[in-house]
Amino acid sequence: MAGIWVFADHKDGAFRRVIFEMLSEGKKIADFLGEELSAVILGNNVESLAPQLGEYGAEKVIVLEDAKLASYTTDAYSAALTSLIQKHQPTVLLFPNSSTGLDVAPVVAQKVNTGFVADVTEIVYEGKLQFKRPVYAGKAYASIAFADATRPMIATIRPKAMDVADPQAGKTAAIIKETAGDFGDIRQIVKDVIRKASGRVELTEADVVVSGGRGAKGADGFKLLETLADVLGAAVGASRAAVDEGWIDNQFQVGQTGKVVAPQLYIACGISGAIQHLAGIGASKCIIAVNRDPEAEIFKTADYGIVADLFEVLPIMTEEFKKLVASA
Amino acid sequence: MYQFNEEEQMILSMVDDICTDIIMPRAQEIDIQDEFPWDIHQVLAEQGIFSLCFAEEYGGAGVGLHCWLKMMEKIAAVSCAVSMMIANVSLGSAPVVLFGNEEQKQKVLPELASGEAQIAFGLTEPNAGSDIGGITTTAVKKGDKYVINGNKVFITSGSVSKYFSIFAKVIGEDGSRKLSCFLAEKDMPGLVIGRNEEKMGLHGSVTTQLFFENLEVPESAIIGQIGDGYKIVFQSLNKGRLNNGAQATGLVQAALKDATIYAKGRVQFGNPISEFQAIQFMIADMEIGLQTCHLMLDNAATLFEQKSPDLMKYASATKVVCSDMANKATADAVQIFGGYGYCKEYPVERYFRDSKIFPIFEGSNQIQRGIIAKAVYKEYNE
Amino acid sequence: MKIVVCAKQTFDTEAVIALTADGQVNATGITLIIDPYSEFAVEQAIQMKEKDGGEVIVLTIGNAGAQSAIRHALAMGADSGVLVDDPAIAGGDSLATALILAKALEKLNPDIILGGFKSSDIAGAQVLPRVSSILNLPNVNVATHLEWADGKAQVTRELDDGVEIIEVALPAIIGAQQGLAEPRYPSVKGIMQSKKKPINTWTLADIGVDAGAVGAGAAKTKVVQYTLKEARKGGRIIEGEVPDVTKEVVQLTRTEAKVI
């Protein structure tokens, strides 16, 4: 058997946009290789999620339900996926480059003795299928191909790197129900999950990100950023300097050691533009920088630079965006 | 040029990291607040920076002078004030290191090496700067003690030090006045710390007056012998002048770097100003000066390690070249920055102010030239 | 507790990346450092040793030049190093790296294994999970906090939108993320002591790895080509009074950039 598989990770009964991005790209891969596109759902009582995946292009949805899959553990998920792969032998298996995808994919790759490519931003269809991904903190890209006999080709896909094709309402997928074999010992005991949801869109999914750095000077500065973010429906991010100062939780750090974002608009406020921060924002469509220092590195990357104190700029910017959004 | 060994390279790489991560972000603030940066002192102590000055048997790292001077240059390039507290441990301890007895070394040097204590060099007086013969602080023997009276000015780290190398003239029963050096301690009655000076630059490095009001020190506080004062001063200052040379070289480096980056980014008449010949010449002169400073420091440090009799002449020449170059390079950097360079927003303004002390202190450049001339005359007598 | 840290040597994160004439990443003149993620793991290991005693061994794959990464860890406070150096390793992929580390770890037999969850250069993000699979040890990745007691570890693992606390029995493999432990700067004393600490060099034969199982010939993935990221085209600073400038920039997001 063959096929292109998309691991349809879900949370609170819904899929993040990256799943649809993967299905859209997966369809192209399926066409390129002349194979069919399937989605894989793991969980407990999750079959109801399957139809939506059909609308986004999955011809089949493999559903594996088990109480042990109700919440994620490395051992249970890798065991379940390994058994599915051994049974169906897909050609390609895509995961989102999320905390779950990045955790389970390399373990599965090892268990089925194949290669794995993380954080792919583009699929290249030239001769062999190639998985293009950023290396050296985004300063270069490596295009990676699998050896001929090496299957499945496993990769995680960076959110927002690929486009979503319009869903086809009413298009259905065949549902294939699988049963779990033996999970073996599940050695990771989840003692607690602490969601630090800010009530905002996630950084990696956001169309607009408003970020603050050392120039925000503290929690008061971040209040100004949040007010602007509210107007734009944006996520709030931060540079490492602001995280180190303790002004904002480290899950909001943008950069090489934090989140990599790819919004339409990135607004950098009081951020000097250290290379480690720039590594996380390079894929932004448009960057606005506000910084008092005209020599700040960020101005070399930003599309629009404002040399001024963010405390002066942000209240005005918030009002102006409010008008702009209202006029839409 | 001296080649740093693997340990020295690791040390200098660590110094680069703390300069970038810890000292640089504080440098401007230290300048504005003009208070001794104890937080930075603590980091330097924990990292073992002060230990680089001392031999292993006294808690030191046992590295050579080249590594010490390169460390100083790197730190001065981000904060000259911070480099002062380090240079001062070297100068202040020089009398003990060079002339102290074993007991004095064991008592003082490990505390200095760990950064637990600091030491000040107490030489200059209101009326005895370049002319140390004019020192009026006196010490009179009373039983098994010496009683010191007088006062000192411009004493670097005077208000933060535990130990003091104090120069005073011992008045003999025959009325003789012999310049001598004593090791005093902060808690000794009669040692009064005066106010900190308000200086043009080196804000954050404290410069203090000292008053001796019947300061009693034990006989064991004498460093070397009674009458060794001149010898101790000159040999201590040889090392001090190399420290100053390294600090000044740090300023040249900083001025060159900042001015170059600015010139490449600043556009006037439709071009980056770095493309104008007037700017290129200033940048090139800074680079020439930097290379000169590095060669002179390297050579003088080698002579120091070889205990060469020529050291004094070379140490003086190194101090003159590096300090004059620091003055010129920082002034040119301000010029390249134009109006922005005159504002405190850019650090070149601080470099300029900090550089002005280097041709003045630890033997003005005029005194240095006098030393060099005398050495030259002596060579042609022979 | 015997702690082994799997550490990698990488390019200085400030390094400018260029390609050679034949399309490879040009390493000439680039400063090599211990990888920042490895460094988080080294610091965590040293703190564990400082608290409970034990021993920290740094395990690295590379040529003799990689000793400097180990030396850095020794200067921070690790006790000894192991360098697996063998010409047959060249050109291998992550499966090969994982196999070599796993075999070396079997020989070292640690109570806990730490390492970076990814590296700052290639960021393959898979070596430790693969090692866990080979050695059949539990793995917790992207760790930002670690507590340990009574043969168990409680690991705070970073999620996309928060954290989870996971308990595993030791020995286990923990992949460090930034935040796990803030690396100390090696002190002068640490640096001087590091030269007295041993670094053992092992070949593939020493750890029982068949040369044919690693290296370019065995690789399951291969880089077809490297490309440099195009520099963002130089932006512009909008000059003028702050209210005017701000208003103009906001307008430009719609009229020119078309992102709002």
Side-chain angles (χ1 to χ4, degrees), chain A residues 216-299:
Chain A
K217 290 184 179 153
D220 286 352
F222 272 90
K223 286 227 174 65
L224 286 178
L225 297 173
E226 281 168 18
T227 313
L228 173 59
D230 288 341
V231 169
L232 290 166
V236 172
S239 72
R240 182 168 181 179
V243 171
D244 285 349
E245 291 285 352
W247 300 335
I248 184 165
D249 192 87
N250 74 348
Q251 66 162 322
F252 298 110
Q253 182 180 324
V254 174
Q256 194 188 357
T257 49
K259 302 282 195 296
V260 174
V261 299
Q264 292 286 302
L265 177 61
Y266 188 82
I267 306 177
C269 305
I271 290 175
S272 63
I275 180 85
Q276 101 89 24
H277 187 75
L278 297 182
I281 66 172
S284 307
K285 183 139 183 254
C286 175
I287 297 173
I288 297 175
V290 181
N291 201 301
R292 283 175 52 194
D293 177 7
E295 302 302 308
E297 280 295 312
I298 190 83
F299 288 124

Side-chain angles (χ1 to χ4, degrees), chain B residues 1-230:
Chain B
M1 295 277 275
Y2 177 78
Q3 296 296 312
F4 294 106
N5 65 31
E6 195 187 353
E7 286 74 42
E8 291 170 332
Q9 287 178 31
M10 288 173 80
I11 289 166
L12 293 172
S13 157
M14 174 269 283
V15 170
D16 282 337
D17 288 343
I18 59 169
C19 280
T20 310
D21 298 350
I22 297 173
I23 303 176
M24 191 135 59
R26 275 276 280 136
Q28 201 78 336
E29 204 172 57
I30 291 170
D31 182 57
I32 291 164
Q33 291 171 344
D34 196 6
E35 283 166 13
F36 188 83
W38 283 107
D39 56 330
I40 301 289
H41 180 270
Q42 191 186 338
V43 170
L44 298 174
E46 283 168 2
Q47 291 307 121
I49 297 297
F50 300 109
S51 75
L52 295 172
C53 189
F54 301 103
E56 281 170 284
E57 58 264 47
Y58 306 114
V63 303
L65 188 63
H66 290 87
C67 182
W68 168 260
L69 293 176
K70 186 55 81 178
M71 172 277 294
M72 191 89 72
E73 179 188 328
K74 285 173 181 292
I75 290 178
V78 288
S79 170
C80 220
V82 169
S83 77
M84 251 347 266
M85 71 165 90
I86 306 167
N88 193 60
V89 169
S90 165
L91 176 65
S93 67
V96 177
V97 170
L98 297 170
F99 293 90
N101 58 35
E102 192 55 27
E103 196 185 330
Q104 290 165 333
K105 288 181 182 177
Q106 289 293 355
K107 177 182 168 71
V108 174
L109 302 187
E111 277 185 62
L112 299 178
S114 68
E116 197 182 321
Q118 298 188 67
I119 186 166
F121 188 75
L123 175 66
T124 303
E125 297 186 357
N127 296 311
S130 295
D131 175 15
I132 56 172
I135 280 177
T136 56
T137 296
T138 58
V140 176
K141 192 155 197 275
K142 182 180 151 195
D144 58 353
K145 291 187 167 159
Y146 282 85
V147 181
I148 301 176
N149 279 286
N151 70 315
K152 300 282 175 185
V153 290
F154 308 142
I155 304 308
T156 302
S157 295
S159 56
V160 295
S161 288
K162 177 177 176 188
Y163 295 109
F164 298 84
S165 303
I166 291 167
F167 290 88
K169 286 184 175 167
V170 174
I171 301 178
E173 286 173 6
D174 56 356
S176 64
R177 301 167 87 85
K178 292 179 176 165
L179 189 65
S180 308
C181 187
F182 296 88
L183 179 64
E185 292 180 44
K186 186 178 72 176
D187 297 333
M188 289 176 166
L191 176 58
V192 179
I193 314 282
R195 65 181 173 83
N196 292 332
E197 301 291 347
E198 289 186 31
K199 305 188 298 296
M200 171 193 281
L202 290 186
H203 295 167
S205 168
V206 288
T207 307
T208 319
Q209 296 185 6
L210 299 179
F211 300 94
F212 313 123
E213 294 165 359
N214 291 319
L215 164 65
E216 287 190 4
V217 298
E219 224 165 359
S220 62
I222 298 168
I223 299 175
Q225 305 295 322
I226 296 293
D228 277 352
Y230 285 99

Side-chain angles (χ1 to χ4, degrees), chain A residues 11 16 98-99 103 106-107 109-111 113-116 118 132-133 135-147 150 187-196 202 240 251 253 256-257 259 264-265 275 282 284-288 299 301-308 312-313 317 320-321 324 327-328, chain C residues 11 13-15 17 25 37 95 117-118 120-126 129-130 133-134 136-139 141 154 157-168 177-178 182 219-229 232-233 235-238 242-243 245-247 249-254 256-257 259-260:
Chain A
K11 196 182 99 185
R16 294 196 307 158
S98 61
S99 44
D103 193 65
V107 175
Q110 185 65 31
K111 284 179 188 288
N113 192 29
T114 188
F116 164 63
K132 191 171 173 182
R133 59 185 302 268
V135 289
Y136 298 100
K139 288 180 266 193
Y141 291 93
S143 299
I144 293 168
F146 285 71
T150 301
R187 297 164 297 181
Q188 294 90 358
I189 303 159
V190 180
K191 306 291 270 192
D192 201 2
V193 178
I194 304 152
R195 304 275 175 198
K196 292 182 193 164
E202 277 180 33
R240 182 168 181 179
Q251 66 162 322
Q253 182 180 324
Q256 194 188 357
T257 49
K259 302 282 195 296
Q264 292 286 302
L265 177 61
I275 180 85
S284 307
K285 183 139 183 254
C286 175
I287 297 173
I288 297 175
F299 288 124
T301 296
D303 298 276
Y304 306 120
I306 301 175
V307 181
E312 196 180 345
V313 172
M317 188 177 276
E320 291 298 327
F321 269 122
L324 190 74
S327 73
Chain C
F11 285 12
T13 45
E14 303 286 324
I17 302 298
V25 174
Y37 294 91
L95 284 90
F117 95 89
K118 64 176 180 181
S120 68
D121 53 359
I122 300 302
Q126 55 190 291
R130 286 182 184 278
S133 183
I134 298 169
N136 198 25
L137 293 176
N139 172 43
N141 228 350
Q154 274 213 355
R157 173 177 133 72
E158 190 176 275
L159 301 176
D160 297 328
D161 59 348
V163 294
E164 59 184 354
I165 316 291
I166 294 190
E167 187 178 281
V168 284
Q177 160 69 319
Q178 184 197 333
E182 185 62 31
K220 293 186 184 293
T221 56
K222 188 179 147 216
V223 176
V224 181
Q225 70 163 345
Y226 287 102
T227 43
L228 293 180
K229 181 184 157 63
R232 284 185 76 90
K233 58 174 170 35
R236 60 180 198 265
I237 289 183
I238 314 294
V242 171
V245 169
T246 306
K247 191 169 180 179
V249 167
V250 169
Q251 290 300 323
L252 284 169
T253 60
R254 171 168 290 166
E256 189 179 82
V259 289
I260 295 291

Side-chain angles (χ1 to χ4, degrees), chain A:
Chain A
M1 206 171 149
I4 314 306
W5 283 13
V6 167
F7 175 72
D9 190 19
H10 50 87
K11 196 182 99 185
D12 304 330
F15 298 111
R16 294 196 307 158
R17 196 171 81 170
V18 64
I19 304 301
F20 307 132
E21 292 163 1
M22 289 195 296
L23 286 168
S24 301
E25 193 68 31
K27 185 80 181 77
K28 291 186 206 165
I29 299 172
D31 292 346
F32 180 74
L33 297 178
E35 299 187 12
E36 69 179 6
L37 177 66
S38 303
V40 179
I41 308 180
L42 304 188
N44 199 21
N45 300 324
V46 289
E47 193 183 335
S48 59
L49 295 172
Q52 197 184 4
L53 299 172
E55 294 181 357
Y56 279 92
E59 287 158 69
K60 288 179 185 160
V61 179
I62 298 167
V63 180
L64 175 49
E65 295 180 311
D66 193 289
K68 284 183 172 166
L69 298 172
S71 65
Y72 174 78
T73 56
T74 315
D75 281 350
Y77 271 54
S78 62
L81 285 164
T82 300
S83 68
L84 290 178
I85 292 167
Q86 282 164 346
K87 180 172 175 189
H88 296 283
Q89 310 220 333
T91 309
V92 176
L93 174 50
L94 304 179
F95 291 84
N97 197 58
S98 61
S99 44
T100 299
L102 198 54
D103 193 65
V104 74
V107 175
V108 171
Q110 185 65 31
K111 284 179 188 288
V112 300
N113 192 29
T114 188
F116 164 63
V117 186
D119 199 20
V120 171
T121 54
E122 187 186 340
I123 308 285
V124 181
Y125 303 91
E126 282 173 17
K128 278 183 163 185
L129 207 56
Q130 293 170 33
F131 297 81
K132 191 171 173 182
R133 59 185 302 268
V135 289
Y136 298 100
K139 288 180 266 193
Y141 291 93
S143 299
I144 293 168
F146 285 71
D148 288 337
T150 301
R151 297 290 182 272
M153 300 184 250
I154 299 184
T156 57
I157 305 295
R158 178 184 287 195
K160 303 206 71 173
M162 295 165 188
D163 296 329
V164 181
D166 290 332
Q168 289 175 272
K171 186 174 177 299
T172 56
I175 293 180
I176 301 171
K177 294 205 65 164
E178 292 283 351
T179 47
D182 181 15
F183 289 106
D185 270 352
I186 296 170
R187 297 164 297 181
Q188 294 90 358
I189 303 159
V190 180
K191 306 291 270 192
D192 201 2
V193 178
I194 304 152
R195 304 275 175 198
K196 292 182 193 164
S198 54
R200 295 182 187 281
V201 55
E202 277 180 33
L203 270 170
T204 53
E205 300 258 309
D207 281 328
V208 181
V209 175
V210 182
S211 274
R214 196 179 293 282
K217 290 184 179 153
D220 286 352
F222 272 90
K223 286 227 174 65
L224 286 178
L225 297 173
E226 281 168 18
T227 313
L228 173 59
D230 288 341
V231 169
L232 290 166
V236 172
S239 72
R240 182 168 181 179
V243 171
D244 285 349
E245 291 285 352
W247 300 335
I248 184 165
D249 192 87
N250 74 348
Q251 66 162 322
F252 298 110
Q253 182 180 324
V254 174
Q256 194 188 357
T257 49
K259 302 282 195 296
V260 174
V261 299
Q264 292 286 302
L265 177 61
Y266 188 82
I267 306 177
C269 305
I271 290 175
S272 63
I275 180 85
Q276 101 89 24
H277 187 75
L278 297 182
I281 66 172
S284 307
K285 183 139 183 254
C286 175
I287 297 173
I288 297 175
V290 181
N291 201 301
R292 283 175 52 194
D293 177 7
E295 302 302 308
E297 280 295 312
I298 190 83
F299 288 124
K300 294 187 186 138
T301 296
D303 298 276
Y304 306 120
I306 301 175
V307 181
D309 193 333
L310 66 94
F311 288 88
E312 196 180 345
V313 172
L314 284 187
I316 304 171
M317 188 177 276
T318 303
E319 283 312 306
E320 291 298 327
F321 269 122
K322 205 180 271 178
K323 286 185 217 160
L324 190 74
V325 171
S327 73

